[in-house]
């Protein structure tokens, strides 16, 4: 006979962990209790030593589907005198919160079966959930995770629901959002609960634009096969070309639209239910305005009972895009949604379960045989990620500017926020401040240091300055490389290739085509793309033709620059003058080189969303296999101990080659990809490094990534690409947090 105190850490709250412990302990004939506390789950268990050991084994090996057990620690304590049962004790809210809240999870098969069963009391009920599925992060106000600490607090369970909640043998035992049509939230269409779902479906059927309240916020929804309706949505949302995501009724419908490989299919059907980007099928019948000019579509499956019920009625793909105007944060509060979305929509399908924290849909894609997360949000947040070391201080990392996220680090974990958005918008900045406070509160973080980008004008940097704490500025591309090291649990130095739009460089230029020898302790810039002018600053980012002129100037002087400029604008004199002006910033950005190529090859003069030019250029190359692509020369030379990769000959070749746009686009990818791999391999060898990290938003280009990775593998180097941490600026706060946690 022995008694042990067992502490379990990991994602063990809100995932049916206590009932699981109860059932296992009872079946083993053990006594004692289990309860949540702010650090996870505590168990005291008493009985025969072998049975106690068996329970500890089952805690790890048989945990419920949504649980993630990180550690199980046990200590022997004196046995209790009188104890005749195993019980679930009430939560202890004392101490700093440290227990991860679980992620929002798609409706499970058991719940779906009930929703579909005409004899079940939850037949057709849009808020059906259980311990294995349903809302979590988006409804949690504070920890420990219990019903009063969620937005379900105001709903009093009916007798039937309460019985399920109290019955340790029931699938809904202690399921905090448990509800039914009698006692739970209700759908309402334009304020009326009468036939809400049927009326919403009929409106979509008639080509109307609807706002739908989902799990992490409001979506705008429209029939994806109705071209006028999709065009109207673009007009009202002020969104010109940026692709819309689709929700499809089921997996078969997804297969009819896109080519899914097995990682893509696994991601699509996972409980995280992200948007999966995949190559569109030629025969897909959709409005061309869904994803204009792009070879990929973003599809997702229904993830709440409301989505399932709606999709079953419509039986066709639906455009489902964030409920916002242009790039504002997704609307999640009801009054805000009515105010902001009301004027844009023909009807609102809403409900009375509040969303406490907004959380956009996540986006993933299959890359080099496994999934890569491009936007890490609903279904992933707030799952902690392991650091490959234990930090000694608590860190808040505030990220960059575009695709902002914030992260906190404590001990050996880092926890990233959901996608917040582009901080240049005031509303996004307000969302950033809220998310930062919520993240710190939920995880009991009082930061010892605030890590931030070096860019002095980023609002995140300004926030860090005003936080009144120790600050640590971290170079943007160093953070990119570090974020990929976190992703792979590495601590040893690597050769990092960080290609993106831009990040502040300590030399006063904008970096973005960088080769860094880096680890968490520091970095050294050992190579970079040649620099050119960024004529007109942020204008040059929105107008790729300006970059085409800048690169043409470098490649062929005044004559080529004015020839190229003349194709886009008849007043290029002022632009040419800017190229040499001392006030013009210079950049080594790979993203801007892709912009220049897109303008030269595809005639893309202006973009309406970040990355548009490069995405279209990649699509243009699609028709040509990499092995059939031409290769143009690229210059490489040493300057001040740095290897400079100069693609000027590529620009000249694009202008002089007689081939068509597809062949030029393929040759551009091939030339830049192989030159990148050669430079990275040379630098890695020179430094005795075996591993190359590919990071930064430019490596969302699948074609470029394949070319570089294959060429590096061919010469025996290990290649790390992003998996769970986004390669774009959404991963910056994770890299910042790791670097800051590692130091001091
Ligand atoms: Zn369920
Ligand atoms: Zn009920
Ligand atoms: Fe970046």
């Amino acid at each position: 006979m022995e008694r042990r105190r067992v502490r379990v850490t990991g994602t063990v709250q809100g995932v049916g962990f206590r009932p699981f412990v109860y059932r296992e302990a009872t079946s083993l004939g053990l006594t004692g209790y289990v309860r949540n506390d702010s650090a996870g789950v505590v168990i005291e268990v008493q009985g025969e030593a072998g049975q106690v050991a068996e329970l500890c084994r089952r805690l790890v090996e048989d945990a419920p589907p949504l649980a993630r057990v990180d550690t199980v620690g046990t200590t022997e304590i004196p046995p209790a005198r009188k104890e005749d049962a195993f019980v679930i004790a009430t939560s202890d809210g004392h101490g700093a919160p440290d227990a991860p809240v679980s992620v929002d999870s798609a409706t499970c098969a058991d719940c779906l079966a009930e929703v579909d069963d005409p004899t079940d009391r939850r037949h057709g009920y849009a808020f059906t959930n259980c311990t294995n599925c349903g809302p979590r992060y988006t409804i949690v106000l504070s920890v420990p995770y219990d019903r009063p600490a969620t937005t379900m607090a105001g709903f009093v369970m009916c007798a039937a629901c309460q019985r399920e909640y109290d019955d340790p043998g029931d699938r809904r035992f202690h399921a905090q959002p448990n509800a039914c049509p009698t006692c739970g939230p209700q759908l309402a269409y334009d304020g009326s609960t009468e036939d809400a779902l049927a009326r919403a479906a009929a409106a979509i059927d008639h080509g109307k634009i609807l706002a739908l309240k989902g799990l992490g916020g409001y979506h705008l929804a429209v029939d994806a096969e109705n071209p006028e309706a999709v065009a109207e949505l673009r007009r009202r949302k002020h969104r010109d070309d940026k692709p819309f995501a689709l929700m499809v009724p089921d997996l078969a419908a997804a297969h009819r639209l896109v080519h899914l490989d097995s990682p893509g299919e696994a991601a699509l059907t996972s409980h995280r239910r992200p948007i999966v980007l995949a190559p569109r099928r030629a025969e897909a019948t959709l409005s061309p305005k869904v994803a204009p000019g792009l070879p990929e579509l973003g599809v997702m499956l229904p993830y709440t009972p409301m989505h399932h019920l709606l999709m079953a009625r419509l039986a066709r793909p639906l455009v489902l895009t964030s409920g916002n105007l242009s790039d504002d944060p997704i609307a999640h509060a009801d009054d805000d949604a009515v105010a902001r979305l009301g004027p844009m929509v023909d009807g609102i399908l809403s409900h009375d379960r509040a969303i406490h924290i907004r959380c956009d849909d996540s986006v993933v894609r299959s890359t080099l045989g496994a999934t890569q997360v491009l936007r890490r949000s609903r279904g992933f947040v707030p799952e902690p990620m392991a650091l490959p070391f234990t930090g000694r201080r608590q860190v808040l990392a505030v990220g960059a500017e575009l695709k902002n996220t914030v992260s906190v680090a404590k001990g050996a974990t880092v926890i990233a926020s959901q996608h917040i958005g582009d901080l240049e918008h005031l509303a996004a900045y307000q969302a950033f401040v809220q998310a930062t406070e919520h993240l710190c509160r939920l995880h009991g973080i009082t930061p010892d240091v605030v890590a931030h980008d070096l860019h002095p004008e980023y609002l995140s940097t300004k926030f860090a300055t005003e936080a009144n704490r120790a600050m640590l500025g971290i170079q943007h591309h160093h953070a990119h490389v570090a974020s990929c090291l976190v992703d792979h649990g590495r601590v040893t130095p690597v050769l990092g290739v960080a290609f993106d739009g831009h990040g502040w460089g300590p030399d006063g230029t904008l970096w973005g085509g960088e080769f860094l020898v880096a680890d968490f302790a520091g970095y050294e810039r050992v190579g970079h793309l040649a620099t050119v002018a960024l004529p007109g600053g942020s204008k040059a980012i929105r107008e790729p033709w300006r970059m085409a002129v800048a690169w043409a100037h470098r490649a062929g002087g005044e004559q080529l620059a004015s020839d190229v400029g003349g194709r886009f604008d008849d007043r290029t004199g002022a632009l040419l003058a800017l190229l040499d002006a001392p006030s013009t910033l210079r950049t080594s950005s790979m993203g801007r080189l892709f912009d220049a190529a897109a303008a030269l090859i595809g005639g893309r003069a202006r973009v309406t969303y970040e990355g548009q030019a490069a995405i279209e250029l990649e699509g243009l190359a699609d028709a040509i296999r990499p092995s059939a692509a031409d290769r143009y020369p690229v210059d490489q030379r040493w300057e001040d101990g740095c290897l400079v990769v100069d693609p000027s000959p590529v620009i000249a070749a694009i202008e002089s080659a007689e081939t068509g746009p597809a062949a030029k686009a393929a040759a551009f990818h091939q030339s830049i990809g192989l030159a990148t791999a050669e430079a990275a391999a040379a630098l890695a060898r020179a430094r005795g490094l075996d591993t190359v990290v590919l990071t930064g938003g430019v490596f969302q280009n699948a074609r470029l990534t394949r070319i570089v990775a294959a060429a590096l593998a061919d010469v025996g180097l290990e290649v790390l690409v992003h998996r769970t941490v986004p390669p774009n600026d959404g991963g910056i706060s994770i890299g910042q947090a790791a670097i800051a946690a590692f130091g001091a």
Side-chain angles (χ1 to χ4, degrees):
M1 179 72 70
E2 68 170 21
R3 186 175 185 85
R4 281 188 175 269
R5 189 179 173 86
V6 184
R7 161 151 304 285
V8 187
T9 67
T11 304
V12 289
Q13 293 191 7
V15 291
F17 201 81
R18 287 175 303 169
F20 153 72
V21 175
Y22 170 89
R23 283 193 301 273
E24 299 302 327
T26 306
S27 77
L28 290 167
L30 301 169
T31 63
Y33 69 86
V34 56
R35 67 174 159 79
N36 283 346
D37 70 0
S38 50
V41 162
V42 182
I43 304 162
E44 281 194 17
V45 61
Q46 184 167 322
E48 196 195 310
Q51 302 293 82
V52 172
E54 173 61 13
L55 178 70
C56 292
R57 189 195 65 78
R58 291 186 191 177
L59 292 180
V60 177
E61 290 174 20
D62 304 334
L66 298 181
R68 205 191 68 173
V69 175
D70 288 342
T71 63
V72 176
T74 79
T75 41
E76 193 163 352
I77 56 174
R81 293 260 164 125
K82 273 190 177 165
E83 200 175 59
D84 48 16
F86 193 90
V87 297
I88 295 180
T90 50
S91 297
D92 169 12
H94 303 297
D98 205 4
V101 171
S102 78
V103 302
D104 300 292
S105 290
T107 309
C108 73
D110 291 335
C111 284
L112 266 188
E114 293 169 349
V115 172
D116 287 341
D117 177 359
T119 67
D120 193 278
R121 70 191 190 91
R122 289 188 175 84
H123 180 235
Y125 184 53
F127 303 91
T128 305
N129 67 81
C130 73
T131 47
N132 299 323
C133 75
R136 299 286 188 278
Y137 176 63
T138 51
I139 62 167
V140 170
L141 283 69
S142 61
V143 286
Y145 173 73
D146 264 331
R147 192 168 173 111
T150 71
T151 62
M152 284 299 292
F155 295 94
V156 179
M157 274 184 275
C158 69
C161 285
Q162 189 70 51
R163 264 198 304 281
E164 295 166 338
Y165 185 91
D166 292 335
D167 176 1
D170 195 277
R171 200 172 91 249
R172 296 195 167 88
F173 181 58
H174 284 221
Q176 307 305 344
N178 188 26
C180 78
T182 311
C183 65
Q186 302 293 333
L187 285 176
Y189 183 64
D190 283 349
S192 157
T193 55
E194 194 103 351
D195 285 333
L197 197 87
R199 287 190 297 138
I204 290 173
D205 212 27
H206 288 103
K208 303 291 189 207
I209 297 171
L210 260 56
L212 304 181
K213 184 177 178 181
L215 209 45
Y218 281 77
H219 283 112
L220 298 175
V222 72
D223 179 356
E225 293 174 351
N226 182 332
E228 294 83 37
V230 178
E232 180 63 15
L233 174 60
R234 285 207 176 273
R235 201 185 60 74
R236 292 195 201 167
K237 194 178 150 81
H238 296 187
R239 179 142 150 171
D240 300 320
D241 307 305
K242 197 174 176 181
F244 285 140
L246 301 164
M247 183 174 273
V248 295
D250 51 32
L251 186 59
H255 278 296
R256 284 195 291 276
L257 292 180
V258 292
H259 297 278
L260 284 171
D261 59 5
S262 59
E265 183 173 318
L268 191 70
T269 54
S270 74
H271 71 86
R272 304 181 194 276
R273 290 290 155 103
I275 296 167
V276 177
L277 295 180
R280 79 190 288 166
R281 286 187 185 275
E283 64 275 22
T285 55
L286 283 178
S287 159
K289 290 255 183 199
V290 169
L294 301 186
E296 285 186 321
L297 291 173
V299 296
M300 64 182 143
L301 293 178
Y303 53 84
T304 69
M306 182 193 87
H307 294 141
H308 282 284
L309 292 163
L310 190 65
M311 296 309 290
R313 276 176 187 270
L314 291 165
R316 79 185 85 152
L318 215 59
V319 164
L320 213 57
T321 181
S322 306
N324 52 17
L325 184 66
S326 183
D327 290 321
D328 280 346
I330 185 170
H332 72 297
D334 298 323
D335 47 353
D336 177 53
V338 169
R340 284 203 284 147
L341 307 181
M344 297 161 64
V345 300
D346 304 308
I348 300 182
L349 182 63
S350 185
H351 59 74
D352 52 354
R353 186 181 70 203
I355 299 169
H356 183 64
I357 277 291
R358 63 162 63 82
C359 205
D360 287 83
D361 296 316
S362 294
V363 180
V364 312
R365 176 210 259 159
S366 175
T367 300
L368 302 180
T371 50
Q372 180 174 71
V373 178
L374 302 180
R375 184 162 77 196
R376 192 179 175 281
S377 218
R378 178 189 46 78
F380 290 90
V381 171
E383 196 168 273
M385 286 169 275
L387 288 173
F389 59 86
T390 300
R392 282 194 294 273
R393 52 186 185 177
Q394 297 193 358
V395 177
L396 168 66
V398 295
E401 177 97 331
L402 299 177
K403 298 183 165 67
N404 179 274
T405 62
V406 296
S407 291
V408 292
K410 176 160 81 166
T413 56
V414 54
I415 300 148
S417 75
Q418 67 277 32
H419 166 81
I420 294 167
D422 299 347
L423 294 191
E424 52 210 346
H425 306 277
L426 177 66
Y429 181 71
Q430 290 163 342
F432 159 88
V433 173
Q434 284 166 8
T436 301
E437 287 168 1
H438 191 62
L439 194 67
C440 287
R441 189 169 54 243
L442 217 51
H443 300 284
I445 298 280
T446 312
D448 299 310
V449 61
V450 179
H452 61 89
D453 198 275
L454 293 181
H455 201 303
E457 294 304 317
Y458 284 176
L459 288 179
S460 56
T461 303
K462 292 181 175 172
F463 175 89
T465 311
E466 288 157 15
N468 241 335
R469 309 232 169 236
M471 292 169 64
L472 183 65
I474 292 169
Q475 203 282 324
H476 189 90
H477 304 93
H478 182 206
H480 270 309
V481 177
S483 75
C484 194
L485 293 177
V486 172
D487 210 342
H488 291 274
R490 299 297 180 91
V491 282
T492 50
V494 292
L495 192 280
V497 183
F499 287 175
D500 65 357
H502 58 80
W504 195 260
D507 62 353
T509 67
L510 289 174
W511 291 10
E514 309 308 312
F515 297 82
L516 310 177
V517 171
D519 58 13
F520 295 115
Y523 76 96
E524 183 189 346
R525 189 191 204 195
V526 293
H528 60 85
L529 190 71
T531 58
V532 292
L534 187 71
S538 58
K539 254 190 183 168
I541 297 168
R542 290 191 302 271
E543 301 180 12
W545 74 277
R546 289 169 174 263
M547 291 314 300
V549 171
W551 271 107
H553 188 262
R554 187 181 174 99
E558 293 280 322
Q559 188 57 51
L560 188 59
S562 65
D563 286 355
V564 166
R567 299 211 297 264
F568 295 97
D569 195 300
D570 39 19
R571 295 155 295 144
T572 54
L575 184 67
L576 290 177
L578 269 181
L579 295 179
D580 292 322
S583 61
T584 298
L585 277 172
R586 299 186 64 80
T587 185
S588 54
S589 164
M590 184 58 83
R592 297 292 85 81
L593 176 67
F594 270 77
D595 284 357
L600 291 172
I601 297 170
R604 168 56 69 186
R606 288 174 182 75
V607 293
T608 63
Y609 63 92
E610 196 212 359
Q612 181 179 6
I615 293 169
E616 289 172 353
L617 188 68
E618 185 186 0
L620 199 55
D622 244 11
I624 314 278
R625 276 177 295 114
S627 60
D630 291 334
R631 185 179 179 190
Y632 306 142
V634 173
D635 286 342
Q636 308 208 355
R637 63 176 173 277
W638 293 90
E639 272 176 26
D640 306 327
C642 241
L643 183 64
V644 176
V645 176
D646 186 349
S648 294
V650 174
I651 300 297
I654 288 171
E655 282 300 285
S656 61
E658 302 286 328
T659 53
K664 286 183 181 178
F668 175 78
H669 281 84
Q670 194 71 5
S671 312
I672 298 302
L674 293 177
T676 297
E678 285 163 10
L683 291 165
R685 295 285 184 236
R687 295 306 185 101
L689 303 171
D690 306 320
T691 303
V692 178
V693 156
L694 305 182
T695 185
V698 168
F699 282 109
Q700 292 174 114
N701 183 316
R703 187 182 187 101
L704 180 75
T705 303
R706 274 198 299 272
I707 293 169
V708 177
L712 288 170
D714 274 352
V715 295
L717 287 162
E718 182 192 30
V719 181
L720 301 181
V721 300
H722 282 262
R723 292 300 174 206
T724 306
V725 176
N728 54 52
D729 283 5
I732 286 289
S733 70
I734 295 166
Q736 289 173 340
I739 291 166
F742 191 83

